[in-house]
């Protein structure tokens, strides 16, 4: 038992030692395999980074080419359509180069190339901006600048730097790809070799210890199987990793092919750009010639502008009105001699001086007027401004109309004020004389009205005496009359009636002009008034064999009027028609409601009135026929009194007539309100 026990102890010690060695070896191999897997991952990341750098470099190079094409196209054609791609690519190119510099910052050589490209791009942009400014303004320096090819060195530096950077990245990518492939192969070898080594150790140790380890092997068979399963799983994982690495390698090869194609396309673009640049150089002589011709045209235009300026200055100096311009700071910038007369100071004390200093001795509120014009953007006119014009001796006082207008620029912004001044001294003097004449005429008219009023009033007494005694004689109170005496008395009475009507018209007109005329308003039946007037005028119409027609309905609503004055209106209008009618004529009175008014028309078939004479009808002491041989008598007050009476009632009056077509005189009066009561009018 003792030897058996000793062998068992020795076997246990050997088993433990073998187990420790196997475990240590497995741990070492696993660590080595893990380290190699990390190296492979780093290589994959580096390869991906190289691809990104190449894409960014290609993008930046394409943008630089597009930017140069837009700039050169604009220089050749001055077409604004080239500016949009130039501006867009210029901003994008700068950003792309700065991004590229950030991506290669950890590689000093690549970082130096990217930084040089960024600096060259900035310098080229400044040169391009200056060159386009010279071209746009037709500066003569453009031809020399364009011919020298300013900025070409910067473009060459950008393209060369980016090409070298791409070549370096391709070399780095190839080296890192090779390292990636070697790492993958090493990981596969380490994994497989480790498994083989562990298996070999187990076999060697098992052959040497087969007899002693049978029982232990059988006892630990389960553990070995578990370890084998774990190794199989590791082998599968390594195989999957290997397949993934191969797939990544294939993808990198595809990306490499794409980059190669992109490089070829970029090279083609560079060749095309070189061709275009050669064409630009070929056309430089033509551009220089065009610039020279344009320069000559500009010089000719400048001479034309100078002549126009001299003409404008001469015209401004000879204008009969004052003209001036005030800038936004209220400083006079332009002033002609007439404006100097308006300001009362020499011209040299106006231009370049503030408006308050120029108008120091003027009655104008210059600052207030300028502020109002600027606020409203509307012109302001001040009339009859006094100004003293300095002559050889003492100054003479003159009158001016001054207008200040807002002066707006091409964009509609306020740029200052325009001042216009026109002397109106002669007009003011004429207006003063005219005003004096009007006052004189008004005084004479007032004296005439007073005389007519007094004369009319004084004539009523003898007329009343004539009419009174004539009536006594006609009634044969003093004794019988023979036919001839009765005929004489009749003529005296007719003449007295006409004279009394004339005096009454004169008195009414005198009261109207003196403002002492009054009316008493009350509801009146218009049809009754018309019937009474026509009845009163019937004998006169019969004597002239003229018919009177009443077309006024009795059911018309009441009107608000003075009944006596209303009868006077109708009587004057009908009597006026009777004056001018011959035997067989007719006069018609018509009335109807027109809204809240009553409209009355007096129509006749008389000779009519021309349009040119209708303006005389409603004027005092005015008739169409003012000759001494006129057919109808009267002093021309009947229609004037009618007009004043109608307007005093709140109505209107007018006429429609044509020569040979008769006349229609119409007037309107307001209807009586519901429940209205008599009132005293004007």
């Amino acid at each position: 038992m003792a030897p058996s026990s000793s062998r068992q102890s020795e076997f246990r010690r050997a088993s433990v030692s073998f187990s420790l060695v196997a475990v240590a070896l497995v741990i070492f191999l696993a660590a080595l395999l893990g380290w190699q897997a990390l190296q492979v991952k780093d290589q994959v990341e580096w390869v991906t980074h190289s691809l990104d750098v190449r894409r960014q470099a290609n993008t930046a190079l394409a943008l630089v080419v597009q930017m140069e094409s837009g700039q050169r196209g604009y220089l050749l054609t001055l077409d604004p359509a080239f500016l949009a791609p130039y501006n867009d690519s210029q901003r994008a190119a700068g950003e792309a180069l700065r991004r590229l510099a950030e991506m290669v910052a950890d590689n000093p050589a690549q970082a130096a190339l990217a930084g040089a490209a960024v600096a060259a791009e900035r310098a080229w942009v400044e040169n391009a901006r200056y060159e386009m400014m010279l071209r746009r303004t037709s500066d003569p320096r453009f031809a020399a600048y364009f011919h020298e090819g300013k900025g070409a060195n910067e473009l060459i530096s950008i393209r060369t730097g980016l090409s070298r950077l791409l070549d370096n990245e391709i070399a780095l990518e190839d080296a890192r790809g090779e390292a990636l492939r070697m790492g993958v192969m090493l990981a596969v070898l380490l994994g497989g070799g480790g498994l083989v080594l562990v298996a070999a150790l187990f076999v060697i140790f098992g052959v040497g210890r087969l007899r002693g380890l049978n029982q232990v092997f059988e006892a630990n068979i389960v553990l070995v199987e578990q370890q084998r399963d774990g190794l199989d799983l590791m082998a599968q994982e390594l195989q999957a990793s290997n397949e993934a690495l191969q797939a990544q390698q294939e993808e990198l090869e595809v990306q490499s092919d794409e980059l190669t194609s992109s490089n070829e396309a970029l090279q083609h673009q560079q060749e095309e750009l070189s061709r275009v640049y050669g064409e630009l150089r070929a056309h430089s002589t033509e551009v220089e010639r065009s610039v020279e011709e344009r320069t000559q045209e500009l010089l000719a235009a400048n001479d034309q502008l100078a002549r126009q300026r001299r003409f404008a200055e001469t015209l401004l100096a000879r204008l009969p009105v004052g003209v001036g311009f005030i800038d936004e700071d209220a400083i006079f910038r332009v002033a002609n001699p007439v404006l100097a007369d308006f300001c009362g100071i020499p011209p040299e004390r106006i231009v370049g001086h503030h408006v308050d200093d120029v108008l120091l001795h003027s009655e104008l509120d210059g600052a207030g007027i300028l502020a109002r014009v600027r606020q409203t953007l509307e012109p302001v006119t001040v009339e009859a401004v006094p100004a003293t014009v300095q002559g050889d001796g003492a100054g003479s006082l003159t009158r001016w109309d001054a207008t200040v207008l807002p002066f707006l620029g091409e964009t509609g912004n306020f740029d200052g004020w325009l001042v216009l001044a026109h002397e109106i001294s002669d007009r003011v003097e004429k207006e003063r004389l005219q005003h004096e004449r009007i006052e004189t005429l008004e005084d004479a008219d007032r004296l005439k009205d007073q005389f007519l009023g007094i004369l009319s009033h004084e004539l009523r007494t003898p007329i009343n005496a004539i009419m009174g005694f004539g009536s006594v004689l006609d009634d044969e109170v003093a004794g019988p009359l023979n036919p001839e005496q009765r005929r004489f008395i009749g003529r005296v009475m007719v003449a007295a009636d006409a004279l009394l009507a004339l005096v009454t018209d004169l008195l009414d007109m005198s009261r109207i002009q003196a403002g002492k005329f009054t009316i008493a308003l009350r509801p009146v039946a218009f049809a009754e008034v018309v019937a009474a007037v026509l009845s009163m005028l019937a004998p006169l119409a019969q004597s002239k064999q003229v018919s009177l027609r009443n077309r006024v309905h009795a059911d018309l609503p009441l009107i608000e009027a003075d009944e006596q004055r209303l009868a006077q209106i109708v009587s004057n209008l009908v009597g006026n028609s009777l004056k001018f009618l011959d035997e067989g004529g007719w006069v018609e009175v018509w009335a109807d409601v027109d809204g809240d008014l009553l409209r009355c028309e007096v129509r006749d078939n008389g000779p009519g009135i021309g349009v040119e004479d209708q303006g005389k009808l409603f004027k005092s002491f005015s008739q169409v026929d003012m000759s001494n041989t006129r057919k109808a008598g009267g002093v021309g007050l009947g229609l004037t009194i009618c007009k004043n009476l109608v307007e005093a009632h709140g109505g209107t009056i007018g006429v429609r007539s044509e020569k040979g077509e008769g006349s229609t005189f119409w007037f309107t009066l307001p209807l009586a309100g519901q429940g209205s009561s008599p009132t005293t009018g004007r």
Side-chain angles (χ1 to χ4, degrees), residues 392-582:
D392 297 334
S396 59
L397 181 64
T398 58
R399 294 284 179 174
W400 300 72
D401 282 348
T403 302
V404 181
L405 304 93
F407 190 86
L408 304 181
E410 295 181 356
T411 59
N413 297 328
F414 181 83
D415 289 343
W417 297 267
L418 183 65
V419 181
L420 302 176
H422 176 63
E423 185 179 359
I424 58 168
S425 301
D426 294 340
R427 191 188 77 188
V428 171
E429 180 63 19
K430 291 179 181 178
E431 290 177 352
R432 185 186 65 79
L433 295 176
Q434 185 177 11
H435 183 68
E436 290 180 353
R437 291 183 61 189
I438 290 173
E439 289 182 345
T440 302
L441 292 174
E442 287 177 348
D443 291 339
D445 188 61
R446 189 165 45 253
L447 291 174
K448 178 204 68 175
D449 293 338
Q450 291 176 358
F451 171 74
L452 290 176
I454 295 172
L455 179 63
S456 301
H457 188 273
E458 294 299 326
L459 285 175
R460 288 182 69 90
T461 301
I463 291 173
N464 289 332
I466 293 172
M467 293 184 67
F469 285 108
S471 297
V472 170
L473 293 175
D474 188 47
D475 293 338
E476 298 183 351
V477 174
L481 299 176
N482 58 39
E484 186 175 1
Q485 290 174 336
R486 184 175 298 277
R487 182 167 56 84
F488 290 158
I489 291 297
R491 290 182 178 180
V492 170
M493 294 298 293
V494 170
D497 287 337
L499 186 59
L500 180 61
L502 175 61
V503 171
T504 301
D505 286 345
L506 289 173
L507 286 175
D508 285 342
M509 199 62 201
S510 177
R511 294 191 188 98
I512 290 172
Q513 292 179 343
K516 299 178 180 180
F517 176 74
T518 60
I519 59 174
L521 298 178
R522 67 180 183 83
V524 175
F526 185 69
E528 296 178 0
V529 174
V530 172
V533 170
L534 294 182
S535 177
M536 179 183 64
L537 295 176
L540 177 60
Q542 290 174 0
S543 66
K544 300 190 67 173
Q545 296 185 359
V546 173
S547 64
L548 296 179
R549 303 173 185 175
N550 187 350
R551 298 290 186 267
V552 179
H553 297 289
D555 57 353
L556 288 176
L558 299 179
I559 61 173
E560 197 81 16
D562 185 319
E563 185 172 359
Q564 180 181 356
R565 297 302 182 181
L566 181 58
Q568 186 177 359
I569 295 170
V570 177
S571 176
N572 282 356
L573 293 178
V574 175
N576 187 70
S577 295
L578 290 174
K579 286 182 184 179
F580 300 95
L581 286 175
D582 295 327

Side-chain angles (χ1 to χ4, degrees), residues 315-326:
L315 180 64
L316 186 66
R318 296 180 180 179
L319 282 176
V321 297
V323 179
F325 175 72
I326 305 172

